[in-house]
Amino acid sequence: MTTKGSDRPAGKVLRSRRDRVLGGVCAGVGHAIGIDPLLVRLVAVALTIVSAGTAAPAYLLAWMLIPQATDEPEIEPGPADADVRASWHALGGELRMLADELRKPRPEETQTEQRTPEPGHSPLQAADQAVTAFGDRLRSPQVQASARRAAASLSTALTTSVRALDSRSRRGGD
C-alpha cells in the first residue's frame, strides 16, 4: 500500500523534498499516515501555540532525526497551494525580521555592556537581569510593530491554509 501522491509505503516517515514549507516534516508525517499534509501543518502550529512554543523544538528534532526522501514524484502545485506556500514563506520572513529586531541592542547600551555581567552577581541575578532586558526589548515600538506584522502574517497563513483545506475537502481530496 502506498500513500497518495507518493511511491513510498504507508507508515514510513520520510521528510518530503517536494511538498515542504520548512523541513518537510509535516508533509512526511501526513504522507505516512495518509492525511493531507496541510492538516498536519495546522495541527503543528496549533500545538506550538497551545504549548507556548515547546512544540517547536520537537519539530526541529524531527527535522534532524527523520531522514529525507530521496526519490519523490514532482508535485505540481495548484493556485491554492501556491498561495498557501507563499503565505507561510511570508510568515517566515516576518519572524526573521522580528528576531532581528529582538537582537538589536537598545540605543543606550553598548556591546560591552550587553555581554559583561556585573561582578558579584549570582546566576539568579544574572538571569533576572537578562529577562528584564528582554522585557525592555519587547516594549520597544520597533519590536512591537514587527510582532504585529508577524501576527498578521500568521493569521494570513492560517486563513489561507484553512481555506485550501476546505477547498480540497469539497473537491473530494483530489
Side-chain angles (χ1 to χ4, degrees), residues 50-155:
V50 169
S51 69
T54 57
Y59 180 88
L60 295 174
L61 185 64
W63 192 344
M64 290 186 290
L65 296 178
I66 296 174
Q68 188 170 11
T70 56
D71 56 340
E72 284 184 297
E74 189 69 36
I75 296 173
E76 289 296 324
D81 293 329
D83 290 345
V84 169
R85 191 169 307 283
S87 64
W88 284 102
H89 284 291
L91 172 61
E94 290 296 340
L95 290 174
R96 280 189 291 280
M97 287 193 289
L98 176 58
D100 290 343
E101 282 296 329
L102 286 170
R103 280 190 219 112
K104 287 180 184 175
R106 292 185 305 203
E108 64 274 5
E109 289 181 336
T110 65
Q111 291 294 72
T112 54
E113 287 174 336
Q114 282 186 327
R115 293 200 168 91
T116 307
E118 293 183 26
H121 269 179
S122 72
L124 183 59
Q125 290 170 323
D128 179 54
Q129 184 179 11
V131 171
T132 300
F134 184 69
D136 291 344
R137 194 72 201 119
L138 289 176
R139 287 187 282 282
S140 158
Q142 295 86 0
V143 171
Q144 289 181 359
S146 185
R148 279 192 295 279
R149 286 190 305 270
S153 188
L154 174 62
S155 175

